[in-house]
Amino acid sequence: MSWIPSVYCTSRSEAVAADRFSDKWFVDYESSVCRKDCDPDATGADPSCEVATLSTYIYYDDASTCCSSTLGWIPTDTCAAVSEGGTAASSTGTEKWYADYSGEQHCVKDCEYDAADASTDTCGGVLESTAGVMLYDEADECCAAKFSWLEADLCVELSAQANGGYTSKWYVSYQDYVCVKDCEVDATNNPECGGNPSDTSWYAMYGDNLCVKDCATGGADATCGGVIDNTAGVAFYDDAATCCEAKFTWVDKDLCEAVSNNAGSFTDKFYVDYANEKCVQDCDSSGGDPCGGNPDDLSTRLYDTKETCCSTALGWLKEGTCVANTDGTTATGSNNWYVDWGDSKCVQDCPESSGGNCGGLAEDWDLLYSSSTECCGRLPWVDESSCT
């Protein structure tokens, strides 16, 4: 039975074995921890217990050896501690440092933050699970390993101010072509202070007609577009609005800014839907007409009002009809009077289906009159009794 691992075969074959498990350690790559081959259902079972299978070929005497041999990218002590205690992190955290990609790029401690307790200023929250997370004893070690593209001292300073504050270091304001200091804004006493730099600078993502932040993707910040390794020739901006206005002149700047800042943001402006002969509002479509969400093509022209959209983009439609289509309602007209030159009589501006003197909705070129008498004055050759 040479095809079966000897540790597995021996532990399952010996009749004298109390539980027929090897008590050896093996790697679980999916969870990035090591497991112990023992009975997880036994009374008082070790939390690291998991039944090994025939697919497990290599066993180790202890968790540390298993971790160092198979999960070399995780600090051995961290891996062993997590493996021996199960995958759940300590309820109070490990007090070690890990990379925080969600906003300003820095490292934070695995501990609970309390705004009233200054000693927790470097805490980024307790990790739900430390399995697979690289933890470091010091901030500078974490910075060097995870944010090598940042100036080392800056990363450490940012880490020390993880929950607010200022580093007193200088950073570039590309928009103003000057350098400013990371300190509280005080134009009178400290004009060099520009406050905290924005989480990161913005740059153009031409394929999508929007702007994104110069930060790593995959974190909580959905506006990150990836870190620019070579910034030569790349224009950076302090915010999405400035980037959009500079780089996407053919896109409505409000739409570009809204989409750049967050999917699901809207301008409340209007754009044309030619297929359905109406205008659609750039707002959450779950609210019903006239909302239709962001336009599929971000270069679509937007209008401030539905009336402007209708008259400009759908000029061949009666404005009342276009506005009604936009709102998902039926056009009612003004009920004023206009001349139906084809029948040489005066009719009212309302749908024919409404009956009475309604002659359909007036066209834009039809002159409207407040009374039938005034309208019939345009038809002097028609007897007044036959005019309506």
Side-chain angles (χ1 to χ4, degrees), residues 104 121 153-154 156-171 180-186 190 192-198:
E104 192 170 274
D121 282 350
D153 289 343
L154 175 60
V156 172
E157 287 282 356
L158 293 173
S159 300
Q161 304 288 348
N163 290 290
Y166 303 95
T167 66
S168 293
K169 292 183 177 290
W170 294 77
Y171 62 93
V180 292
K181 195 174 184 179
D182 178 26
C183 49
E184 187 173 1
V185 176
D186 184 348
N190 297 298
E192 74 278 11
C193 292
N196 293 131
S198 56

Side-chain angles (χ1 to χ4, degrees), residues 10 45 166 179 198 241 318:
T10 301
Y166 303 95
C179 286
S198 56
K318 298 174 184 177

Side-chain angles (χ1 to χ4, degrees), residues 105 200-203 212-216 224-228 231 236:
Q105 299 168 51
T200 42
S201 297
W202 295 75
Y203 63 91
V212 293
K213 283 183 182 177
D214 181 31
C215 50
C224 291
V227 175
I228 299 292
T231 60
F236 289 96

Side-chain angles (χ1 to χ4, degrees), residues 35-252:
R35 308 285 191 186
K36 191 175 183 180
D37 178 31
C38 48
D39 186 359
D41 298 322
T43 302
D46 192 316
S48 61
C49 284
E50 184 171 305
V51 179
T53 66
L54 277 174
S55 62
T56 305
Y57 290 99
I58 302 177
Y59 294 82
Y60 302 89
D61 292 332
D62 52 58
S64 294
T65 305
C66 175
C67 286
S68 61
S69 300
T70 59
L71 299 167
W73 64 91
I74 303 175
T76 298
D77 290 344
T78 299
C79 175
V82 172
S83 298
E84 291 168 354
T87 60
S90 162
S91 60
T92 58
T94 64
E95 292 289 329
K96 293 185 179 289
W97 295 81
Y98 64 93
D100 178 11
Y101 297 102
S102 62
E104 192 170 274
Q105 299 168 51
H106 56 203
C107 292
V108 292
K109 269 188 176 180
D110 176 29
C111 51
E112 194 68 42
Y113 172 63
D114 181 355
D117 183 358
S119 68
T120 66
D121 282 350
T122 57
C123 294
V126 176
L127 291 168
E128 293 182 4
S129 173
T130 54
V133 178
M134 290 287 284
L135 299 176
Y136 302 88
D137 293 329
E138 303 294 340
D140 59 352
E141 296 175 6
C142 174
C143 284
K146 293 300 184 179
F147 299 108
S148 58
W149 60 89
L150 287 181
E151 194 269 325
D153 289 343
L154 175 60
C155 178
V156 172
E157 287 282 356
L158 293 173
S159 300
Q161 304 288 348
N163 290 290
Y166 303 95
T167 66
S168 293
K169 292 183 177 290
W170 294 77
Y171 62 93
V172 64
S173 172
Y174 290 99
Q175 181 181 358
D176 300 318
Y177 298 99
V178 295
C179 286
V180 292
K181 195 174 184 179
D182 178 26
C183 49
E184 187 173 1
V185 176
D186 184 348
T188 302
N189 299 311
N190 297 298
E192 74 278 11
C193 292
N196 293 131
S198 56
D199 289 341
T200 42
S201 297
W202 295 75
Y203 63 91
M205 182 74 77
Y206 289 103
D208 297 320
N209 284 347
L210 52 79
C211 290
V212 293
K213 283 183 182 177
D214 181 31
C215 50
T217 58
D221 190 346
T223 62
C224 291
V227 175
I228 299 292
D229 294 324
N230 183 1
T231 60
V234 178
F236 289 96
Y237 302 88
D238 291 337
D239 51 55
T242 308
C243 174
C244 285
E245 192 168 6
K247 292 298 183 180
F248 298 106
T249 55
W250 62 92
V251 178
D252 182 273

